[in-house]
Amino acid sequence: MLEIKNLHARVAETGTEILRGVDLTVKPGEIAAIMGPNGSGKSTLSYIISGREDYEVTEGDILYNGESILEMDPAERAAAGVFLAFQYPLEIPGVATMTFLRTALNSQRKARGEAELTTPEFMRRVKDAAGELKIDFNMLKRPLNVGFSGGEKKRAEILQMSLLEPKLCVMDETDSGLDIDALRIVADGVNALRAPERAFLVITHYQRLLEHIVPDTVHVLYKGRIIRTGGKELALELEANGYADVIGEAA
Amino acid sequence: MSVTAPSRAFSQAEQSLVDRAAAALMRSAAGNSERQNALSMLKQEGLPSRRTEAWHYTDLRNLLGRVGSAGTGAPAGDADILAPLLPNGHVVEIGAATDVNPLAGVTVQQVDKLPEWKTALNHLDREFDTIRLLSVAFGAKATKIDVAAGETPGGSIELRAEPSASGSHTYAICDVGDEAKAVFVERLSATSAGSLATSVADLKIGDGAEVLWIVDQEKGAGETHLSQFNVTLGKDAKLLLFVLNAGGGLVRSEVHAITEGEGAEIRIRGVNLLKEGQHVDVTTTLNHLVPNTTATETFRNVVTGGQGVFQGMIRVSQDAQKTDAKMACNSLLLSDDGGFSAKPELEIFADDVQCGHGATAGEIDADHLFYLMSRGIPERQARALLVRAFVDEVVEEIDDEPVVEALEARIDRWLEAHG
């Protein structure tokens, strides 16, 4: 589903190289965890997959279902099924949450040649998804993410994810800023979306999230490269020993 | 006729304006000495230039020629009958004879009165008031509208000018009695290219009365419109003024407010939508004369071209303790071809007040754009959503659904065409 090949990328403005040859393959239905210390390039990787313009790919490629997505803009990638759950979801005053959800959903449907949803059908889907995630429906009457707590923002991201039904879900430190109850709700939301045709790339610092969202593979990203790949036991090993051993082995 | 000589060499546009005013006076049946006096002053002093502080950013003398003032356009047809802005609007044509009062509690009468022009309402203007001088020199038609004390008319009063090819000149005198509540709409719609129009409104809001006043300016690209809105507020009176500038070639919207009673509250919100070739100026003065009054003023500007100006003055007199006044002017610059100048000023003589101002200018936030696009919203649509959000934020402060809907519909129309 996702094949990242020898990906090199730098910050467009400063030229600082962040990714230095990332190789990663994620299969349909797989949950792949990306772990790594601060500054290893985890968030950059998530931004580059979703098409943020602030980065420049200097070498390598990202293939999604066998085709390169590097020339596609973020909206085209989203319509093709790529979703990024933001580490820090943005507050956008003046944009009503419901208008946003509806515009996003219908834009994607239109791009895929599907009919727009009727208002009752749209409302039903939002209400169902909000109920599952224990989101107060009144909250969705506010401008997008405005006045939401950190936990509410993360839940709202999962709400968007479940409405948009993406094929590749990139989750950037979804656990940061969540208390244990909120973490469980978010994890349940993600687990409910697990499907044979859907893959997840879960980016996290800590093993904690992976107790709730159990990965199939774990990859350690360090200084812009994957330095080790293993199963879920690798996450436990990192939790117990820290990154130092793995980094030492790779050096 | 007058033999007044110009005080200096006039530009062609200026001379043509003076000639038009003189010709219009010749045509009018009744002689009016006040109009004659104003014309003499206009003949002598002409138009202000950038050297007059109040007109520094809007050099009327030079800009008028650029936009054109020949009045050569075809007369506006009656064909496109405009529906009132608000669903329950009652149209009052200023200066037209009327024997029908549109709403219970409202009296409308044609009056033979001209604006007082010899004192400038903006102290930075010349010895006299430029807009009022023009209004009088062109023989503005006047209508007086009274809302009786304690009344809440069952609809809005929509003020319009009689369509005129060369430009209409109107004077609305509105008196809202104590404890009354009224909604006014000033509808400034397109007439013909090359026209120069003025509109002056004097509003008095009685003690405890509330007024929502909406200006919907959608003049044509080749038109000049100079407007002045003056308001005095009594004790505990409330004003919410909303100004939408979504048209016009050369536009000056002046707002002068005076708080005369304690507890008065002024809220001014506005949206200026600018495209190539336009010059739009909003100049406001808030005069706080008595203690315990509040004022908030926010303008949001979307600039795809042209030049915008905001001059905002807050004056707090020595007695006006506990004044709370804030103003903000935020511009979204969508093109390098346009510009916006903001000049906030505070003049405070009291020592226990809260006053503030802020002006910002910027582009669409790249993070916001990325967030929307990452959800599948195509770039053009995502940008449009963000521009709309920027202006809707101030529109939605009106907190009156039909009014918000009507204004957002006007704004959407503009954004779809030019955004």
Side-chain angles (χ1 to χ4, degrees):
Chain A
M1 165 159 273
L2 176 71
E3 277 178 88
I4 299 175
K5 293 180 167 174
N6 190 31
L7 190 69
H8 291 254
R10 62 186 183 198
V11 180
E13 204 169 287
T14 59
T16 311
E17 192 170 43
I18 310 272
L19 300 185
R20 300 180 174 92
V22 174
D23 285 292
L24 178 69
T25 302
V26 184
K27 297 190 192 71
E30 181 177 332
I31 294 193
I34 304 274
M35 299 185 74
N38 283 327
S40 57
K42 302 191 299 297
S43 286
T44 298
L45 181 63
S46 73
Y47 284 142
I48 290 173
I49 294 171
S50 46
R52 195 176 175 120
E53 275 182 0
D54 307 4
Y55 302 95
E56 227 172 54
V57 172
T58 51
E59 208 181 323
D61 207 346
I62 302 174
L63 304 182
Y64 173 70
N65 292 331
E67 284 178 42
S68 173
I69 56 169
L70 291 182
E71 295 302 314
M72 292 164 76
D73 78 16
E76 292 166 332
R77 294 184 199 197
V82 177
F83 182 92
L84 169 64
F86 282 60
Q87 183 180 2
Y88 303 108
L90 283 104
E91 294 190 11
I92 309 190
V95 173
T97 304
M98 294 300 275
T99 308
F100 161 75
L101 291 174
R102 194 176 176 152
T103 309
L105 198 51
N106 282 332
S107 298
Q108 292 203 15
R109 293 179 71 89
K110 202 174 150 194
R112 293 194 294 259
E114 297 162 15
E116 292 196 353
L117 287 181
T118 61
T119 304
E121 176 61 16
F122 167 73
M123 294 300 284
R124 190 186 62 75
R125 289 192 188 195
V126 176
K127 279 191 173 142
D128 287 354
E132 294 284 326
L133 291 159
K134 300 187 172 52
I135 291 173
D136 178 1
F137 193 73
N138 283 321
M139 218 171 84
L140 303 177
K141 292 176 180 162
R142 284 192 239 156
L144 186 54
N145 289 329
V146 174
F148 290 20
S149 70
E152 285 170 338
K153 283 180 189 168
K154 293 298 176 77
R155 269 185 277 165
E157 291 289 288
I158 307 304
L159 171 74
Q160 292 177 30
M161 190 162 92
S162 75
L163 283 173
L164 296 170
E165 300 176 312
K167 295 287 185 292
L168 174 65
C169 308
V170 181
M171 309 189 63
D172 188 7
E173 306 217 10
T174 294
D175 51 335
S176 70
L178 291 184
D179 60 35
I180 192 69
D181 294 328
L183 182 68
R184 201 165 286 139
I185 293 168
V186 164
D188 288 349
V190 172
N191 289 327
L193 288 169
R194 286 190 82 154
E197 72 285 358
R198 184 173 286 136
F200 290 84
L201 195 62
V202 179
I203 293 170
T204 183
H205 266 299
Y206 304 107
Q207 196 267 338
R208 186 179 74 152
L209 177 68
L210 305 177
E211 283 172 14
H212 299 275
I213 304 173
V214 181
D216 299 302
T217 53
V218 174
H219 310 268
V220 179
L221 186 68
Y222 178 68
K223 288 191 173 172
R225 299 183 62 182
I226 304 283
I227 56 166
R228 183 143 164 217
T229 291
K232 62 184 175 202
E233 65 288 345
L234 176 56
L236 295 170
E237 188 190 322
L238 291 169
E239 182 77 2
N241 307 331
Y243 289 109
D245 289 359
V246 179
I247 291 166
E249 278 169 39
Chain B
M1 286 307 294
S2 164
V3 289
T4 317
S7 57
R8 58 184 159 75
F10 277 12
S11 72
Q12 202 184 335
E14 209 171 11
Q15 191 57 52
S16 133
L17 180 81
V18 171
D19 292 346
R20 271 166 67 194
L25 178 56
M26 292 272 278
R27 279 198 306 275
S28 75
N32 180 316
S33 63
E34 201 43 41
R35 188 171 168 186
Q36 185 63 60
N37 289 344
L39 182 62
S40 298
M41 183 61 93
L42 182 64
K43 280 180 169 172
Q44 186 187 311
E45 297 297 329
L47 298 171
S49 73
R50 59 183 298 112
R51 267 181 277 172
T52 299
E53 183 69 24
W55 296 88
H56 183 74
Y57 296 95
T58 300
D59 185 326
L60 207 50
R61 204 180 288 169
N62 290 305
L63 286 171
L64 190 64
R66 248 188 272 164
V67 176
S69 60
T72 51
D78 288 334
D80 51 337
I81 293 163
L82 204 59
L85 182 73
L86 300 179
N88 56 354
H90 297 259
V91 174
V92 171
E93 200 169 273
I94 297 171
T98 177
D99 51 4
V100 184
N101 287 325
L103 292 159
V106 179
T107 316
V108 178
Q109 54 186 137
Q110 199 183 350
V111 291
D112 187 17
K113 206 173 170 198
L114 289 166
E116 165 53 52
W117 57 272
K118 285 171 187 158
T119 312
L121 285 151
N122 183 329
H123 70 299
L124 301 173
D125 205 337
R126 298 176 289 179
E127 304 273 291
F128 50 86
D129 194 287
T130 295
I131 292 177
R132 291 179 160 242
L133 175 78
L134 287 165
S135 165
V136 176
F138 277 98
K141 290 182 177 175
T143 289
K144 187 166 193 308
I145 299 163
D146 291 285
V147 179
E151 294 281 352
T152 300
S156 62
I157 301 158
E158 181 160 321
L159 307 175
R160 292 185 189 176
E162 193 185 0
S164 152
S166 58
S168 54
H169 301 275
T170 61
Y171 181 31
I173 306 155
C174 305
D175 205 328
V176 176
D178 294 350
E179 309 292 335
K181 283 185 186 172
V183 179
F184 290 87
V185 174
E186 242 187 298
R187 197 77 181 272
L188 308 171
S189 46
T191 56
S192 38
S195 64
L196 177 138
T198 62
S199 56
V200 175
D202 287 350
L203 168 67
K204 185 173 184 294
I205 309 178
D207 294 350
E210 289 180 27
V211 171
L212 167 61
W213 186 289
I214 296 162
V215 180
D216 174 22
Q217 187 278 112
E218 300 186 54
K219 290 272 170 181
E223 298 184 51
T224 297
H225 193 91
L226 309 173
S227 74
Q228 193 181 68
F229 173 79
N230 307 290
V231 58
T232 57
L233 292 95
K235 187 172 180 296
D236 297 321
K238 286 184 178 162
L239 168 70
L240 172 52
L241 168 67
F242 191 93
V243 179
L244 171 65
N245 276 311
L250 172 55
V251 175
R252 165 93 154 194
S253 311
E254 288 190 7
V255 175
H256 305 293
I258 298 171
T259 61
E260 289 184 339
E262 285 196 41
E265 182 191 318
I266 299 169
R267 289 167 71 205
I268 300 175
R269 299 291 178 273
V271 170
N272 297 308
L273 306 172
L274 273 88
K275 61 185 168 67
E276 197 192 344
Q278 279 187 291
H279 182 102
V280 176
D281 172 329
V282 173
T283 292
T284 70
T285 52
L286 307 179
N287 296 288
H288 295 266
L289 302 187
V290 296
N292 299 309
T293 63
T294 63
T296 58
E297 181 176 5
T298 308
F299 276 88
R300 291 273 163 102
N301 316 302
V302 176
V303 184
T304 63
Q307 180 61 42
V309 177
F310 171 76
Q311 303 187 97
M313 162 69 95
I314 297 174
R315 306 175 81 181
V316 181
S317 65
Q318 204 169 349
D319 294 333
Q321 299 294 0
K322 305 283 181 194
T323 292
D324 186 342
K326 283 176 189 69
M327 81 187 144
C329 175
N330 313 116
S331 304
L332 191 55
L333 304 172
L334 299 179
S335 151
D336 294 338
D337 301 331
F340 205 99
S341 311
K343 181 188 161 200
E345 283 180 286
L346 303 177
E347 213 177 80
I348 299 167
F349 296 103
D351 53 15
D352 183 14
V353 301
Q354 284 195 22
C355 291
H357 64 78
T360 62
E363 296 167 26
I364 283 180
D365 187 308
D367 291 338
H368 287 175
L369 186 63
F370 174 62
Y371 190 69
L372 296 183
M373 287 180 74
S374 78
R375 297 304 182 245
I377 303 175
E379 181 169 357
R380 197 184 135 81
Q381 214 178 335
R383 283 182 180 277
L385 259 179
L386 292 171
V387 174
R388 240 196 92 164
F390 175 73
V391 292
D392 283 359
E393 251 194 305
V394 286
V395 179
E396 276 156 19
E397 283 189 56
I398 297 174
D399 208 23
D400 178 330
E401 210 165 308
V403 177
V404 170
E405 271 176 28
L407 287 168
E408 287 185 346
R410 306 311 299 170
I411 290 168
D412 281 353
R413 215 175 77 124
W414 190 93
L415 291 176
E416 272 162 33
H418 313 289

